[in-house]
Amino acid sequence: MLNDSLLPVSAHAYASACRGASRPACVVRITAVHGSVPRATDASLVVDAQGFGGTIGGGHLELEAIRLAREKLSADASFPADERRFPLGPSLGQCCGGAVELRFSPLADADLPALAALEPPRRAVWLYGAGHVARAIVYALLPLPFEIHWVETRDEMLPEGPFPPHVVLHHTDDAAAEARQAPAGACHLVMTHSHAIDFDIVQAVLARGDAGYCGLIGSATKRTTFERRLAARGIADDRIAAMVCPIGIADLPGKRPEVIAVAVAAQLLGWSLHDR
């Protein structure tokens, strides 16, 4: 089911592939910015004769950087590093108005840690259930900075893959036990085939009190029912109030799985950024 061929390839991932295959490549780094520009100094690009990974903001600037990188590689794979300034005006067909300074250098093993450090850290998302909505959510989260732990009690429901490295499958007979073992600060999305299993998972998450987010798929009526049952089990009022149900930002109406997935991905991304 899952195919990562359409996912953006990061500069670090592409650099690792080039080094693993002994393919010469060029690292393009933004070293300075002036005025209005599409990306800052956290952006990088790795280019070889076959393709590229990462981005410095797209547009004609990126096309010109790729052209120059390949020109350097074709002349000498161990070319001397150099730096160039690019005004983002009419000469590049862009109207940002600022300027960027790019450094071009041959890819070396020593570049890999620095490229990895530019990538945003992945936050742990524990997703319980593998129905239509859950699958749509996995697709929506794939290109975002999350590590997805996909939990399902029914082995036949989880797709065979292939899976990107940041999607981890958990086949289990006890989904609530998985919730109890998840790392502190993780996000939990609960949407199994059973309200009873949903309740056990939510209770386990809220009883811990250290989750960054606890989302439960369902209606306002389901929320009211769960609130009453959780209170009867001794879960504190403030923890119950922190449960998100219904899930997803409210500005996107519709109940199609793909619409819910976009709404949930936006909500999780906002939570992740504000929680840092």
Side-chain angles (χ1 to χ4, degrees):
M1 169 200 162
L2 290 178
N3 189 326
D4 61 356
S5 61
L6 294 179
L7 294 179
V9 179
S10 72
H12 176 258
Y14 201 81
S16 299
C18 288
R19 296 304 291 170
S22 299
R23 296 197 310 264
C26 173
V27 179
V28 184
R29 285 284 309 272
I30 298 179
T31 57
V33 297
H34 309 276
S36 177
V37 296
R39 290 295 301 269
T41 54
D42 62 344
S44 60
L45 183 68
V46 174
V47 182
D48 70 351
Q50 300 179 19
F52 64 92
T55 180
I56 55 173
H60 200 73
L61 170 67
E62 188 158 295
L63 289 177
E64 182 65 8
I66 292 171
R67 185 191 70 78
L68 288 172
R70 288 183 175 147
E71 184 179 277
K72 291 174 180 293
L73 287 169
S74 64
D76 181 3
S78 59
F79 64 91
D82 76 329
E83 205 161 305
R84 299 194 186 189
R85 180 185 174 98
F86 294 82
L88 302 182
S91 63
L92 276 179
Q94 296 188 221
C95 57
C96 296
V100 298
E101 295 178 24
L102 300 182
R103 184 176 188 272
F104 296 80
S105 61
L107 174 65
D109 286 338
D111 291 310
L112 297 181
L115 291 171
L118 291 177
E119 297 185 5
R122 294 188 181 276
R123 303 297 296 266
V125 173
W126 290 69
L127 175 61
Y128 306 87
H132 295 302
V133 174
R135 293 181 180 220
I137 287 175
V138 169
Y139 272 118
L141 295 182
L142 279 178
L144 298 174
F146 294 107
E147 180 180 271
I148 305 164
H149 292 261
W150 203 352
V151 182
E152 176 56 73
T153 58
R154 303 163 296 169
D155 290 354
E156 72 279 4
M157 287 298 296
L158 283 172
E160 295 182 0
F163 294 93
H166 59 286
V167 178
V168 182
L169 301 186
H170 297 259
H171 297 92
T172 181
D173 293 328
D174 189 348
E178 296 288 336
R180 287 189 285 269
Q181 296 169 13
C187 164
H188 298 262
L189 275 172
V190 185
M191 52 187 67
T192 77
H193 62 288
S194 164
H195 282 203
I197 296 176
D198 284 355
F199 180 82
D200 289 343
I201 296 169
V202 170
Q203 181 182 2
V205 172
L206 296 183
R208 291 181 48 164
D210 59 0
Y213 173 103
C214 179
L216 170 68
I217 196 168
S219 62
T221 300
K222 184 176 180 179
R223 179 187 181 95
T224 299
T225 301
F226 272 52
E227 286 177 337
R228 183 175 63 253
R229 293 184 62 198
L230 289 166
R233 300 290 180 91
I235 303 297
D237 290 345
D238 59 336
R239 296 185 182 180
I240 296 174
M243 177 180 66
V244 178
C245 180
I247 54 174
I249 60 174
D251 295 340
L252 293 178
K255 296 184 178 181
R256 298 194 311 275
E258 60 273 20
V259 174
I260 296 173
V262 171
V264 170
Q267 188 174 62
L268 291 183
L269 188 59
W271 159 79
S272 178
L273 294 174
H274 293 132
D275 192 51
R276 289 176 183 168

